């Protein structure tokens, strides 16, 4: 009883501390609220000078597709990814995974609204061909979504749709990382990590790649990343690796087998990821046109090839093809085709699919076992490695000479892709390390052994996944 | 009064139940268990890593009966549950001192009928 | 054996009685069939004088988005809501919940086709600024979907799409109510209740709010209800409360704990509801434009805020944040932003989200325990209360002075919102009571105690949810 | 140990043999690769002479809807159908079903890319009004998706979208068939069957119905098949029947009850199928217009009627309405309305729904029990019979005189529908038989008895569905 | 020392547990079982085909206790678990020779307290 | 012949199984049970309402063995299953009169080897 109370007391204290930390983070932003409210009348006017100078007209078809794509990408995280990951853990931890995906969705949405969108996409101070601070990170011109009014337009769609679409990318990226530290990280640590990593890693990298003229990687270096190979997958994968190394192995790993507790969830989630990815990749055309169609087509092809190759490798190596292997292969293919989806042709897709399936197989098996870290659900093995394979092969197969859609010199482009990847790896690696260390020494990263044994569902959330 | 416990292969449950019923026993209780014995488990794959599942699904039957029926029930089980393969299972017989039917409070052999 | 037969006999008799009741209800409508078939040739002509006088052109983008939205809103009920609710009951009742959602979907579709659409949306006799009978309810001009031809157009979309889109709202509303009487209502009673409630409550309220010029609440009073705060959520919530009070508590409630039997289903369903709600709210713009985009954006923001606030309240109050709490908070936010989604801005969304999360938390906990009714899955606590919070706050944050999109006087509008809500509460409350009482004295509302103990799956449907 | 090794050895050998077979099949196609790569530069040029001579403009709204529809139809297979089917088998076989759906998705995608699209839709050599070889099957002009570039257009959408949309139909058709031989077919046999059946049955039938002017059934005979009653459902249903007869009953069937192991999966899957079918049917309008809207509307109506009628029949016959029955009825309605969805009106939809629900009920119960085959998940009973009901009734209710949209002579059209159905039944029946026999005598169709008893999950895939 | 085993209806578990605790027994072990007896199973429907599920869900309680408590525990169970309907279940009593508390290694009646 | 029954914490199963195997016992049967004892259950949350789950997941092992092995098996279990914390579990020893191997029909100690 006393014990319970004390524990609870501690949790409350923790809870308060977490909130404080989150608020401290968001604090300065709140200052802007009053001002923003005051400015509300100018908002309509402000829109005129927004990201789209010539205020082009909305195309309802493009808008329809982007609205749909937004729904599809959110669907990838909840319920898609949460089912895929949730099925892979032991039943005592299933809710912790679902909860993390859900809470990350909510938290990132709030942060995106307050300042995230601005930090990622504000173009104030950017100039085509010029490197300056704003090539790396956006300003605060759009905090609290200032300027995002019903009439604001970007490209051929309402700005509100663009903001929402991009938000779903910002949600799924930290959600992918949880695969690395599943079954042992504190929930409070997950929230703080998400907030900090989103702020200091995701938003800047996103800005560097996608914010337009003057951005470091996308514009100055010409890195091709159609739908997020660098921004989403390499980024999440590297953070996952760092997290897996820092937090350490699960108790019992690798001697105790920890088979997936519910493979039907995992295969269901994989299917949802596949379907949702159509929004991710084809939506990245930001239009309902031939580019979107091609992106969908090559996504389908690469995914199929990766699933098949993983399945056959398992079949040859172990004598049996497994559902988990096939589903994992599909995800590897989806990851790898992501940066390439707007620029390669069907044949490039086949090669990227086969390559990523085979290489990620090694990543999730030999490499992991060889190096001995516990990347529980292979967030690095699939997203990190698959993202890298995709980013690099994009530099090759985007070339019109290989059925792609861009007139590039393969060698030059390959080097640019490599440069983009390395910068992302280094930046994300270092920052992720600092953030995780910081959390570790303050509130602590990992639950205690008793909690880990009991399972996070009961110990952190006082709920059981199943009472069947 | 004796309790006959049998650990059998799951897919034999239906046959065994019928065999037991055929020798005039009215009730039995069944539970799902996992067995570890000579029969070896199967391998499973987890993203390219193989591991062995050592515990095999079995079904445990418990029948409490009057002493005179023990022989025939055991014979019935052996016949119905056997496949001749390793892992067919075991039967254990142990003493029971009393049985009570909750509904009526009756005790002794009459509680079993 | 004899017992079984007798029981079965009874069931057959019941079955027949139910069908008879349903037919009796639909009966008069069938008379129209012949006539309608005869009129079939005139249909094309009839369309000219249909709801859209100047026969504007179809916009393919708007149509694409509305087709998608229709799919999304159906997705909210099956499988979304059915998973959300199904996971919360005990495993012996899971199929009864799934079955009710499924059967309601089918039944309402048929009734909508026969007369529902007409009663809800027929504008015959309506005049802008004039109150008459048709301000309250539609006529029978469109029974059997007369006039709904491939060429008929409304706004910028085919009329068929509008009919289908609105149907999905008519489906989910009664499906929400089942949360109140889950685990104890007869299946036959659920069907009859659905048919009567849809006819005498949903269709008129829908007409009063959304049928256009001359409608009582929407047009004459100027109640703002973009996507159904009044029509769907207050309406369902009040019916749920009345049903919970009338049918009584579940056996064992509240002494026996009745924890959710499968939280993974519930969290999955919550994710699907969130995604599907994009169709619900952004689809209510009936176009793929800035209004739709803004609706999606504020939906996302309010939902996130409500989920977070519920999570943190639990964390402070109980020492642990739960997945069910977070998911329920999200639903509360979705509910509350619904009426507001077309008119408020991001800041309004934040406030509505926080308010609804906090207030629904009280509704589903203190209020329910205080008053002692057994609203099993919190249909009233979340939809009734959340709907009310949303309806009222819409009157405030829709104002351009608070970042909204409408030039309103806040006090006036707030009073209008209150008026609309009160009328809905009273009308729905009284009618729901009458309908339920009627069913109770005829075929009976509740299963007998033995059936409740055995679970509805076996006793009413002769099926088991799981044989794992 | 030795046993294990031997078994495994055998599996490896099998694996190799399968791949060899698959490659042998695909082999000749690979020859084209080099040539295709060489031609890559001409592709842009080639597009000009592609299927759409006058190169009409893309409509972004139509494109948006088709992109969405593609996602919806893929969603029908993974996870929709795989959940629907997966829940119906015993828990020891659940993964085998999910795995088959997933692998079929991947395999058909690859084959479609290599030659399938070309064989199904290449119009080289076709002439309106003329019967020749190309009325039956397409040529190889589009192998490796030659000509499918970002700029290629068909109707009002990018060709890439059309290719992808049609691919999802090619995926779900063989996936439907697995219901007939679930719980006992070798995985290798499933793959080889899929490859051969897709090549020699699906692609030609698809070509005969949908490839345009000059095609045997669609163009020369005027068979109405809007969304695949013949191509998808009769086709899959007949193959299923042949497979069920050839492979024989499951061990223990019909004496041992084999109840669904997880009805929540099945009902969830049914809901997903319903939602996804909107893409299937309304997407088949290949535009976001009134035809699409009407297709969605009648789909909804027919499905509801079929679900209700099945439910009431069960209620009368057995005293209880079941969730599985209601869900199965819905699927029967979806199947039957498929060929009719672009041509019938609401009243036709009601009749088709009621008829298909009632007749498929007989198919899945009396007929199956009477004839004694073990169509495990009623692939024939629902898809074969429902498809036939739909195909024939389309010939009646498409008539404008019955509220439909086509000026037809009912008798003539009915005979045409019958002709199309009979040809499909005979062609598919014979070919399916040959393919299955061939597989049986080479690698064998069925697992051995020990494997069947142990369950396919462990014996073929070395995985367990659940470790809860 | 005796073991009292009771097969009861699942929804009676809570009541029975409380009744046992009330007579001063500290520990018990519960498992989910399936019972076959006089009480007949229910029918289930599978696409229009009916079949009977013969095994009914039951709960098995096992309590090991010192001999002097057997009577009162049995009485408590009979009272708490009875509904008067067929299928209420059975109680079986059998000898146990020794009990050991793992934590401390204590054995005998003290291990049960 | 004796039956040794042990109720242990689930995560100790692997260790205990190995300890038992180490002393030369070939077979055992395992079931999932729920325990009620001194160790208190955990709280759960349900939409802001707290309730206590009193039954804790435990694993029950049953091993039937010849009398001479009882001591060493009990010792092995105590050693392997102990954590020193409340809730470690119990061991019960009871008499078994006969064991039969279904596959061969062999009975007595030989059926256990
Ligand atoms: N000594 C034992 N005590 C309890 N259960 C046993 C014992 N030995 C075997 N079993 C049970 O019997 C099952 C079958 O035993 P196994 O040795 O695999 O084959 P067989 O019965 O053919 O010798 C085991 O899985 C286990 O559940
Ligand atoms: N001889 C027996 N041995 C073991 N378990 C029994 C025996 N007889 C009955 N049972 C168990 O007791 C339960 C109730 O028995 P049943 O005959 O249905 O009703 P009642 O206890 O009222 O006579 C059964 O479901 C079964 O689990
Ligand atoms: N008298 C008993 N009869 C049967 N099982 C018991 C008994 N006492 C305890 N158990 C089982 O042993 C488990 C552990 O007991 P508990 O009192 O919690 O801790 P400890 O064994 O450390 O004293 C319980 O959860 C229960 O399953």
């Amino acid at each position: 009883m006393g014990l319970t109370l004390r524990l609870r007391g501690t949790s409350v204290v923790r809870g308060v501390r977490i909130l404080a930390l989150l608020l401290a983070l968001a604090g300065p932003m709140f200052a802007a609220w009053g001002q923003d409210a005051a400015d509300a009348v100018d908002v309509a006017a402000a829109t005129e000078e927004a990201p789209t100078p010539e205020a082009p007209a909305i195309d309802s078809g493009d808008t329809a597709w982007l609205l749909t794509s937004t729904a599809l990408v959110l669907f990838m995280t909840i319920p898609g990814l949460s089912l895929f990951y949730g099925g892979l853990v032991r039943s005592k931890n299933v809710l912790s995974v679902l909860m993390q995906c859900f809470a990350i969705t909510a938290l990132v949405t709030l942060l995106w609204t307050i300042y995230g969108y601005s930090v990622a996409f504000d173009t104030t101070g950017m100039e085509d061909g010029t490197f300056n601070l704003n090539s790396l990170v956006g300003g605060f011109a759009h905090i609290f979504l200032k300027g995002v009014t019903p009439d604001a337009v970007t490209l051929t769609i309402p700005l509100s749709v663009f903001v929402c679409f991009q938000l779903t990318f910002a949600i799924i990226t930290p959600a992918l990382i949880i695969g690395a530290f599943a079954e042992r990280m504190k929930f409070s640590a997950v929230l703080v990590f998400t907030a900090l990593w989103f702020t200091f890693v995701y938003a800047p990298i996103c800005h560097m790649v996608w914010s337009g003229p003057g951005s470091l990687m996308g514009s100055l270096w010409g890195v091709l990343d159609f739908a997020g190979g660098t921004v989403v997958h390499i980024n999440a994968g590297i953070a996952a690796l760092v997290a897996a190394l820092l937090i350490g192995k699960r108790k019992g790993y690798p001697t105790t087998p920890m088979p997936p507790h519910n493979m039907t969830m995992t295969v269901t989630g994989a299917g949802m990821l596949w379907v949702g990815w159509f929004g991710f990749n084809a939506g990245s055309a930001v239009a309902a046109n031939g580019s979107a169609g091609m992106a969908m087509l090559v996504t389908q092809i690469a995914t199929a090839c990766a699933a098949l190759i993983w399945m056959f490798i398992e079949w040859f190596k172990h004598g049996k093809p497994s559902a988990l292997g096939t589903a994992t292969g599909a995800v590897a293919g989806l990851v790898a085709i992501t940066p390439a989806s707007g620029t390669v042709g069907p044949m490039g897709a086949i090669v990227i699919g086969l390559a990523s399936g085979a290489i990620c197989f090694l990543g999730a098996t030999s490499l992991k076992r060889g190096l001995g870290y516990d990347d529980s659900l292979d967030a690095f093995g699939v997203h990190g490695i698959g993202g890298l394979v995709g980013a690099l092969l994009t530099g090759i197969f985007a070339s019109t000479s290989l059925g792609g859609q861009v007139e590039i010199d393969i060698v030059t482009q390959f080097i640019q892709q490599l440069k983009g990847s390395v910068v992302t790896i280094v930046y994300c690696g270092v920052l992720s390390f600092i953030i995780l260390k910081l959390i570790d020494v303050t509130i602590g990263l990992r639950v205690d052994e008793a909690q880990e044994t009991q399972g996070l569902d009961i110990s952190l959330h006082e709920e059981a996944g199943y009472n069947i | 009064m004796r309790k006959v416990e049998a650990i059998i292969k799951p897919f034999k449950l239906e046959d065994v139940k019928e065999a037991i019923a055929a020798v005039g026993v009215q009730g039995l209780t069944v539970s799902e268990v996992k067995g570890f014995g000579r029969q070896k488990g199967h391998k499973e794959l987890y993203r390219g890593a193989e591991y062995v599942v050592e515990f095999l699904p079995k079904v445990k039957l418990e029948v409490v009966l009057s002493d005179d029926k023990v022989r025939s029930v055991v014979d019935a089980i052996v016949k119905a549950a056997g496949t001749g393969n390793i892992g067919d299972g075991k039967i254990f017989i142990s003493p029971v001192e009393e049985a009570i039917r909750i509904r009526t409070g009756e005790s002794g052999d009459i509680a079993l009928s």
Side-chain angles (χ1 to χ4, degrees), chain A residues 8 11 60 64 83 99 106 109 148 150 160 459-461 463 465 467:
Chain A
R8 229 232 261 187
S11 295
S60 67
L83 286 173
M99 175 73 171
T109 299
V148 182
S160 53
S459 67
L460 298 189
H461 307 295
E463 283 178 304
N467 293 292

Side-chain angles (χ1 to χ4, degrees), chain A residues 8 11-12 15-16 19 22 33 36 60-61 63-64 67-68 70-71 74-75 78-79 83 94-95 98-99 102 105-107 109-110 113 145 148-150 158 160-161 163-164 167 171 187-188 191 272 459-468:
Chain A
R8 229 232 261 187
S11 295
V12 173
V16 177
L19 194 70
L22 289 174
W33 185 297
D36 194 59
S60 67
T63 304
L67 287 164
T68 306
T70 306
L74 180 61
F75 184 64
I78 50 168
L83 286 173
V94 60
L95 285 183
L98 303 187
M99 175 73 171
F102 217 92
T105 303
L107 181 59
T109 299
L110 184 58
T113 306
L145 301 184
V148 182
T149 61
S160 53
V161 178
V163 170
C164 221
L167 163 56
I171 287 169
F187 182 62
S188 53
L191 291 187
M272 290 177 173
S459 67
L460 298 189
H461 307 295
E462 278 183 351
E463 283 178 304
Y466 305 95
N467 293 292
I468 299 178

Side-chain angles (χ1 to χ4, degrees), chain B residues 47-107:
Chain B
R47 282 213 177 122
E50 278 180 5
Y51 61 93
V52 174
V53 174
E54 292 178 312
F55 290 99
L56 292 163
K58 300 277 169 190
V59 156
K60 179 167 90 170
L61 269 100
E62 293 172 86
V63 200
V64 175
L65 27 62
S66 56
D67 298 349
D68 54 313
K69 285 191 177 152
V70 171
R71 199 62 265 157
S72 56
V73 162
V74 168
D75 288 350
I77 297 176
V78 169
K79 227 160 66 225
T83 67
N85 291 321
I86 208 159
D88 275 355
K90 302 269 192 288
I91 301 174
F92 303 125
I93 303 167
S94 53
V96 167
E97 291 168 356
E98 187 57 288
I100 297 122
R101 166 174 284 126
I102 291 174
R103 172 165 44 99
T104 56
E106 292 162 307
S107 65

Side-chain angles (χ1 to χ4, degrees), chain B residues 7-8 33-40 56 58 85-90 92:
Chain B
I7 321 283
I8 61 169
V33 298
K34 286 180 193 155
F36 177 76
R38 294 179 177 209
Q39 186 192 3
K40 289 305 161 226
L56 292 163
K58 300 277 169 190
N85 291 321
I86 208 159
D88 275 355
K90 302 269 192 288
F92 303 125

Side-chain angles (χ1 to χ4, degrees), chain A residues 5 16 43-44 63 67 106 119 124 144-145 163 183 185 233 244 282 300 311 328 356 364 372 380 392 411 452 459 467:
Chain A
L5 267 174
V16 177
V43 164
T63 304
L67 287 164
V119 172
T124 317
F144 287 101
L145 301 184
V163 170
E183 309 202 282
M185 187 128 143
H233 297 290
Q300 179 71 14
M311 183 180 94
T328 308
S356 63
F380 171 68
L392 298 180
V411 177
E452 192 175 341
S459 67
N467 293 292

